[in-house]
Coordinates of all heavy atoms in Angstrom, one line a residue:
V1 N 11.0 -22.1 -17.0 CA 10.2 -20.9 -17.0 C 10.6 -20.0 -18.2 O 11.8 -19.7 -18.3 CB 10.3 -20.1 -15.7 CG1 9.4 -18.9 -15.7 CG2 9.9 -21.0 -14.5
R2 N 9.6 -19.6 -19.0 CA 9.9 -18.6 -20.0 C 9.9 -17.2 -19.5 O 9.0 -16.8 -18.8 CB 8.8 -18.7 -21.1 CG 8.6 -20.0 -21.8 CD 9.6 -20.1 -23.0 NE 9.7 -19.1 -24.0 CZ 9.0 -19.1 -25.1 NH1 8.2 -20.1 -25.5 NH2 9.2 -18.1 -26.0
V3 N 11.0 -16.5 -19.8 CA 11.1 -15.1 -19.4 C 10.5 -14.2 -20.4 O 10.9 -14.3 -21.6 CB 12.6 -14.7 -19.1 CG1 12.7 -13.2 -18.8 CG2 13.2 -15.6 -18.0
L4 N 9.5 -13.4 -20.0 CA 8.8 -12.5 -20.9 C 9.3 -11.1 -20.7 O 9.6 -10.7 -19.6 CB 7.3 -12.6 -20.8 CG 6.7 -14.0 -21.2 CD1 5.3 -14.0 -20.9 CD2 7.0 -14.3 -22.6
C5 N 9.3 -10.4 -21.9 CA 9.7 -9.0 -21.8 C 8.8 -8.2 -22.8 O 7.9 -8.8 -23.4 CB 11.2 -8.8 -22.2 SG 11.6 -9.4 -23.8
G6 N 9.0 -6.9 -23.0 CA 8.2 -6.1 -23.8 C 8.2 -6.5 -25.2 O 7.2 -6.4 -25.9
S7 N 9.3 -7.2 -25.7 CA 9.3 -7.6 -27.2 C 8.7 -8.9 -27.4 O 8.3 -9.2 -28.5 CB 10.8 -7.6 -27.6 OG 11.5 -8.5 -26.9
N8 N 8.5 -9.8 -26.4 CA 8.0 -11.1 -26.7 C 6.7 -11.4 -25.9 O 6.2 -12.5 -25.8 CB 9.0 -12.2 -26.5 CG 9.3 -12.4 -25.0 OD1 8.9 -11.7 -24.1 ND2 10.1 -13.4 -24.8
W9 N 6.1 -10.4 -25.2 CA 5.0 -10.7 -24.3 C 3.8 -11.2 -25.0 O 2.9 -11.9 -24.5 CB 4.6 -9.4 -23.5 CG 3.8 -8.5 -24.2 CD1 4.2 -7.4 -25.0 CD2 2.3 -8.5 -24.3 NE1 3.1 -6.8 -25.6 CE2 2.0 -7.4 -25.2 CE3 1.3 -9.3 -23.7 CZ2 0.6 -7.1 -25.5 CZ3 0.0 -9.0 -24.0 CH2 -0.3 -7.9 -24.9
S10 N 3.7 -10.8 -26.3 CA 2.5 -11.2 -27.1 C 2.4 -12.7 -27.3 O 1.4 -13.2 -27.8 CB 2.5 -10.5 -28.5 OG 3.6 -10.8 -29.2
L11 N 3.4 -13.5 -26.9 CA 3.4 -14.9 -27.0 C 2.2 -15.5 -26.1 O 1.6 -16.5 -26.4 CB 4.7 -15.5 -26.5 CG 5.9 -15.3 -27.4 CD1 7.2 -15.8 -26.6 CD2 5.7 -16.1 -28.7
V12 N 1.9 -14.7 -25.1 CA 0.8 -15.2 -24.2 C -0.6 -15.1 -24.8 O -1.6 -15.5 -24.2 CB 0.8 -14.5 -22.8 CG1 2.1 -14.7 -22.1 CG2 0.5 -13.0 -22.9
L13 N -0.7 -14.5 -26.0 CA -1.9 -14.3 -26.6 C -2.3 -15.6 -27.3 O -3.5 -15.8 -27.8 CB -1.9 -13.2 -27.7 CG -1.7 -11.8 -27.0 CD1 -1.5 -10.8 -28.1 CD2 -2.8 -11.4 -26.1
Q14 N -1.4 -16.6 -27.4 CA -1.7 -17.9 -28.1 C -1.4 -19.0 -27.1 O -0.3 -19.0 -26.5 CB -0.9 -18.0 -29.3 CG -1.3 -17.0 -30.4 CD -0.3 -17.1 -31.6 OE1 0.6 -17.8 -31.6 NE2 -0.7 -16.3 -32.6
G15 N -2.3 -20.0 -27.0 CA -2.1 -21.1 -26.1 C -2.5 -20.8 -24.7 O -3.1 -19.7 -24.4
Q16 N -2.2 -21.7 -23.8 CA -2.5 -21.5 -22.4 C -1.3 -21.2 -21.6 O -0.2 -22.0 -21.7 CB -3.2 -22.8 -21.9 CG -3.8 -22.7 -20.5 CD -4.7 -23.8 -20.1 OE1 -5.3 -23.7 -19.1 NE2 -4.7 -24.9 -20.8
W17 N -1.3 -20.2 -20.8 CA -0.1 -19.7 -20.0 C -0.5 -19.5 -18.5 O -1.7 -19.2 -18.2 CB 0.3 -18.4 -20.5 CG 1.1 -18.4 -21.8 CD1 0.5 -18.7 -23.1 CD2 2.5 -18.3 -22.0 NE1 1.6 -18.6 -24.0 CE2 2.7 -18.3 -23.4 CE3 3.5 -18.0 -21.1 CZ2 4.0 -18.2 -23.9 CZ3 4.8 -17.8 -21.7 CH2 5.0 -18.0 -23.1
M18 N 0.5 -19.6 -17.7 CA 0.4 -19.1 -16.3 C 1.6 -18.2 -16.3 O 2.7 -18.5 -16.6 CB 0.6 -20.2 -15.3 CG -0.7 -21.0 -15.1 SD -2.1 -20.1 -14.5 CE -1.8 -20.2 -12.7
L19 N 1.4 -16.9 -15.8 CA 2.4 -15.9 -15.9 C 2.5 -15.2 -14.5 O 1.5 -14.8 -13.9 CB 2.0 -14.8 -16.9 CG 2.9 -13.7 -17.3 CD1 4.2 -14.3 -17.8 CD2 2.2 -12.9 -18.3
E20 N 3.7 -15.2 -14.0 CA 4.0 -14.6 -12.7 C 4.7 -13.3 -12.9 O 5.7 -13.2 -13.6 CB 4.9 -15.5 -11.8 CG 5.3 -14.9 -10.5 CD 6.4 -15.6 -9.8 OE1 7.2 -16.3 -10.4 OE2 6.5 -15.4 -8.6
F21 N 4.3 -12.2 -12.2 CA 5.0 -11.0 -12.1 C 5.6 -10.9 -10.7 O 5.0 -11.1 -9.7 CB 4.0 -9.8 -12.3 CG 3.5 -9.7 -13.7 CD1 2.3 -10.5 -14.0 CD2 4.0 -8.9 -14.6 CE1 1.9 -10.4 -15.3 CE2 3.6 -8.8 -15.9 CZ 2.5 -9.5 -16.3
Y22 N 6.9 -10.7 -10.8 CA 7.7 -10.7 -9.5 C 8.8 -9.6 -9.5 O 9.0 -9.0 -10.5 CB 8.4 -12.1 -9.4 CG 9.6 -12.2 -10.3 CD1 10.9 -12.0 -9.8 CD2 9.4 -12.5 -11.7 CE1 12.0 -12.1 -10.7 CE2 10.5 -12.6 -12.5 CZ 11.8 -12.4 -12.0 OH 12.9 -12.5 -12.8
A23 N 9.4 -9.4 -8.4 CA 10.6 -8.5 -8.3 C 11.6 -9.3 -7.5 O 11.3 -10.0 -6.5 CB 10.2 -7.2 -7.5
P24 N 12.9 -9.2 -7.9 CA 14.0 -9.9 -7.1 C 14.1 -9.6 -5.7 O 14.5 -10.4 -4.9 CB 15.2 -9.5 -7.9 CG 14.8 -8.9 -9.2 CD 13.4 -8.4 -9.0
W25 N 13.7 -8.4 -5.3 CA 13.8 -8.0 -3.9 C 12.6 -8.4 -3.0 O 12.6 -8.2 -1.8 CB 14.0 -6.5 -3.8 CG 13.0 -5.7 -4.6 CD1 13.2 -5.1 -5.8 CD2 11.6 -5.4 -4.3 NE1 12.0 -4.5 -6.3 CE2 11.1 -4.7 -5.3 CE3 10.8 -5.7 -3.1 CZ2 9.7 -4.2 -5.3 CZ3 9.5 -5.2 -3.1 CH2 9.0 -4.5 -4.2
C26 N 11.5 -8.9 -3.6 CA 10.3 -9.2 -2.9 C 10.4 -10.5 -2.2 O 10.6 -11.6 -2.8 CB 9.2 -9.3 -4.0 SG 7.6 -10.0 -3.4
P27 N 10.2 -10.5 -0.8 CA 10.3 -11.7 0.0 C 9.3 -12.8 -0.4 O 9.6 -14.0 -0.5 CB 10.1 -11.3 1.4 CG 10.4 -9.8 1.4 CD 10.1 -9.3 0.0
A28 N 8.1 -12.4 -0.7 CA 7.0 -13.3 -1.1 C 7.4 -14.0 -2.4 O 7.1 -15.2 -2.6 CB 5.7 -12.6 -1.1
C29 N 7.9 -13.2 -3.3 CA 8.3 -13.7 -4.7 C 9.5 -14.7 -4.5 O 9.5 -15.8 -5.2 CB 8.7 -12.6 -5.6 SG 7.5 -11.3 -5.8
Q30 N 10.4 -14.4 -3.7 CA 11.6 -15.2 -3.4 C 11.1 -16.6 -2.8 O 11.6 -17.7 -3.2 CB 12.6 -14.6 -2.5 CG 13.3 -13.4 -3.1 CD 14.0 -12.6 -2.1 OE1 14.0 -12.8 -0.9 NE2 14.7 -11.5 -2.5
Q31 N 10.1 -16.5 -1.9 CA 9.6 -17.7 -1.3 C 8.9 -18.6 -2.3 O 8.9 -19.8 -2.2 CB 8.6 -17.2 -0.2 CG 8.3 -18.2 0.8 CD 7.4 -17.6 1.9 OE1 6.6 -16.7 1.7 NE2 7.6 -18.1 3.1

């Protein structure tokens, strides 16, 4: 999994991506 941040998020503008937004404390995200 590629970790995206403010400085490299524009990578998703090229090619095909699936991107998950999560929080470490979120039970559904952990699941």
